[in-house]
Amino acid sequence: MSTVVLIGGQWGDEGKGKVTDFLAEQAAMVVRYQGGNNAGHTVVANGQEFKLHLIPSGILYAGKPCLIGNGVVLDPEVFIQELEGLESRGIKTDHLRISPRAQVIMPYHQKLDACEEKRRGASKIGTTGRGIGPAYMDKAARVGIRMADLIDPEEFGPKLKNILANKNELLQKFYNEEGFDYGDIYKKYTEYGKRLAGYVEDVSIIIDEGIKKGQHILFEGAQGTLLDLDHGTYPYVTSSHPVAAGACLGAGLGPTRISKVVAVAKAYITRVGEGPFPTELKDELGDYLRQRGHEYGTTTGRPRRCGWFDGVVARYATRINGLDYLAITKLDVLTGLDKLLVCTGYSYRGKLLTEFPSTLKILDECQPIYEEMPGWQEDITTVQNYGELPENARAYLDRISEVSGVPIAIIGVGPGREQTLVLKNPLE
Ligand code: GDP
Ligand code: IMO
Ligand code: MG
């Protein structure tokens, strides 16, 4: 039995969807535990591309149970669209289950997300605009609507009436915006509730039964360690807990039940949205990586900021998540560069920092310290095992593993499911 938590080790978009899909074949179930449709996970299987936002990246295997935990914020409209999109491509979705405790993203959350970003002006976070922050705010304020409420009109009606009066007052009096009509939302969302009722089941129990049977269970993180509400580059973060510990809270299992933690990280690094990024390349090389790596957001289409592999970030991810392994993706994107830089530390006011700073004030003044390594020119997209990689590619991987303080288990040499090299199977 192996319960593996797979998380993002950087600022998101590391290739979690691809690696989850690859490992899901051996897992009895795949579980999302935080975030919402701010996530965009791309899976390329049998030459077809799928962009998943809420549905776990195990869905492409027929009959594979895919679970959405209590820690997720679920937009029913987006979820139904995603369901229908998959079904229209012949993918069965009847093995999906949603926790009754998952929070529902309502139309006022999206509107408040946009209002807050506008109000922040130049210091905006660059959110995905999906209502994620406001939905988690309501959860913490104990006024959120949960899936169990959405599917029960007797609960939903009074709760919506109460919260909507509050939100309309906020929208109208504070933001000078129009409010929402109770009747319209009630009608639309009770229909969504009816459509989704059959999917709602206590996923914590399903996971527990799987563990008792000795099954392999895969937890698919969204976002990344540096976007974590506590451990990320606050306030330029998301409002959930993408770190490994988030799986316990967001799916309903205890820490003693987790066997292994794997972080997915690109062979370089990207970030979308605002916030600090020490190894960012603001020059033609950054543009080159963006073009070559197709670094445009899966959810918003925004260009991703690109930079060199940051070993300080990686070491931080190792500590915060208790990593067992790294899965390094997009190694193929670096092919053709003469030299590669790896950040091994930061220079701060003339001092060497080897640990990620806890405040932006310090981080803003940090300059990366780089080590230079030779690149490789050979095409690696059809390589089948580690030994076939060019010597310089292996040396690069060895060095980033050393700097990160954790062994590499998986290497991505292209977006396809088959373009994956396994050094160690984390689900064994
Ligand atoms: P996620 O949010 O972590 O699942 O990552 P995204 O799907 O947002 O972005 C990763 C992108 O890189 C997707 O377009 C993937 O198809 C692609 N990808 C993943 N692994 C590899 C790889 O090893 N090589 C290449 N070239 N592309 C990859
Ligand atoms: P996946 O799962 C990359 C970023 C946004 C913004 C910040 C807050 O595909 O890796 P939010 O809408 O969550 O309030 O935005 O977080 N962000 C992501 N960046 N990948 C993601 O998801 C992200 N989800 C949110 O760009 O900077
Ligand atoms: Mg993504």
Side-chain angles (χ1 to χ4, degrees):
M1 186 274 287
S2 224
T3 47
V4 172
V5 180
L6 187 139
I7 53 114
Q10 298 166 330
W11 275 287
D13 299 329
E14 298 90 349
K16 298 174 293 293
K18 177 200 153 139
V19 181
T20 300
D21 165 75
F22 177 80
L23 292 174
E25 187 177 11
Q26 307 160 64
M29 56 188 94
V30 183
V31 189
R32 271 279 307 268
Y33 59 86
Q34 46 68 234
N37 58 311
N38 48 350
H41 295 183
T42 315
V43 176
V44 181
N46 311 318
Q48 282 199 66
E49 188 179 73
F50 296 86
K51 290 182 185 298
L52 301 163
H53 299 286
L54 277 163
I55 297 180
S57 305
I59 197 73
L60 303 188
Y61 298 94
K64 181 87 57 190
C66 283
L67 314 180
I68 296 182
N70 56 280
V72 168
V73 286
L74 186 141
D75 183 326
E77 196 163 272
V78 173
F79 184 79
I80 291 168
Q81 274 167 15
E82 200 166 319
L83 273 183
E84 290 174 354
L86 287 170
E87 280 164 5
S88 72
R89 293 174 73 178
I91 309 292
K92 291 252 176 305
T93 58
D94 36 350
H95 287 76
L96 259 172
R97 291 293 176 268
I98 309 169
S99 166
R101 295 183 173 89
Q103 296 279 326
V104 179
I105 298 185
M106 299 296 290
Y108 44 81
H109 291 135
Q110 291 149 5
K111 190 147 183 182
L112 288 167
D113 195 352
C115 289
E116 260 306 285
E117 281 286 85
K118 197 166 140 201
R119 207 176 70 90
R120 285 184 197 110
S123 55
K124 70 175 198 282
I125 294 169
T127 72
T128 59
R130 301 301 192 261
I132 305 298
Y136 279 113
M137 280 165 72
D138 278 2
K139 173 181 179 175
R142 296 156 293 182
V143 294
I145 289 174
R146 309 207 290 182
M147 282 305 293
D149 304 320
L150 184 74
I151 62 172
D152 178 351
E154 275 178 30
E155 290 289 323
F156 182 59
K159 281 187 178 150
L160 176 65
K161 195 162 253 167
N162 201 14
I163 185 71
L164 195 62
N166 182 320
K167 298 296 177 194
N168 279 344
E169 198 171 335
L170 180 65
L171 283 166
Q172 289 157 350
K173 294 195 180 150
F174 185 72
Y175 292 107
N176 252 325
E177 294 280 343
E178 273 183 32
F180 289 90
D181 181 68
Y182 169 78
D184 288 350
I185 300 190
Y186 181 79
K187 192 159 167 268
K188 206 165 160 189
Y189 280 72
T190 43
E191 282 305 312
Y192 293 153
K194 269 191 221 153
R195 170 82 167 87
L196 296 181
Y199 292 103
V200 177
E201 192 177 330
D202 193 330
V203 304
S204 165
I205 296 175
I206 305 175
I207 295 167
D208 192 50
E209 284 166 354
I211 292 173
K212 285 178 178 146
K213 283 188 208 146
Q215 293 177 331
H216 290 328
I217 302 174
L218 189 56
F219 295 87
E220 177 185 13
Q223 290 79 52
T225 303
L226 274 293
L227 288 172
D228 184 90
L229 183 58
D230 276 83
H231 301 288
T233 45
Y234 190 89
Y236 298 97
V237 293
T238 192
S239 300
S240 70
H241 292 293
V243 296
C248 293
L249 284 172
L253 76 164
T256 53
R257 299 295 180 266
I258 305 291
S259 337
K260 291 275 182 298
V261 180
V262 180
V264 185
K266 280 176 186 158
Y268 48 99
I269 194 165
T270 63
R271 166 162 213 171
V272 59
E274 311 303 317
F277 182 176
T279 63
E280 182 170 14
L281 287 161
K282 293 183 177 162
D283 54 9
E284 305 89 74
L285 197 51
D287 296 338
Y288 169 86
L289 286 176
R290 186 173 312 109
Q291 293 311 322
R292 210 178 134 83
H294 308 290
E295 296 296 358
Y296 295 89
T298 310
T299 298
T300 57
R302 289 178 292 176
R304 294 175 183 151
R305 301 153 65 191
C306 300
W308 292 120
F309 187 87
D310 188 331
V312 185
V313 163
R315 261 197 310 277
Y316 183 57
T318 301
R319 168 158 58 89
I320 297 296
N321 298 292
L323 294 185
D324 293 293
Y325 300 111
L326 278 177
I328 296 292
T329 58
K330 305 196 105 164
L331 187 65
D332 52 299
V333 174
L334 297 181
T335 299
L337 291 171
D338 290 335
K339 59 169 195 188
L340 305 170
L341 301 190
V342 177
C343 167
T344 55
Y346 296 154
S347 162
Y348 171 71
R349 296 191 178 176
K351 279 189 304 213
L352 169 70
L353 288 193
T354 52
E355 297 294 342
F356 197 75
S358 45
T359 69
L360 294 200
K361 204 170 164 188
I362 298 176
L363 191 58
D364 282 342
E365 278 192 57
C366 284
Q367 296 300 323
I369 298 170
Y370 288 117
E371 227 174 76
E372 192 177 310
M373 301 201 65
W376 60 90
Q377 307 302 319
E378 300 90 329
D379 176 20
I380 59 168
T381 55
T382 53
V383 162
Q384 297 287 305
N385 58 62
Y386 181 76
E388 277 178 51
L389 287 171
E391 198 183 329
N392 287 351
R394 281 183 278 138
Y396 180 74
L397 289 169
D398 287 352
R399 187 62 187 133
I400 62 178
S401 166
E402 202 170 54
V403 170
S404 310
V406 60
I408 296 172
I410 291 169
I411 301 160
V413 293
R417 193 184 270 173
E418 67 294 346
Q419 292 172 299
T420 314
L421 317 180
V422 182
L423 278 64
K424 170 82 190 147
N425 182 352
L427 277 169
E428 262 168 9

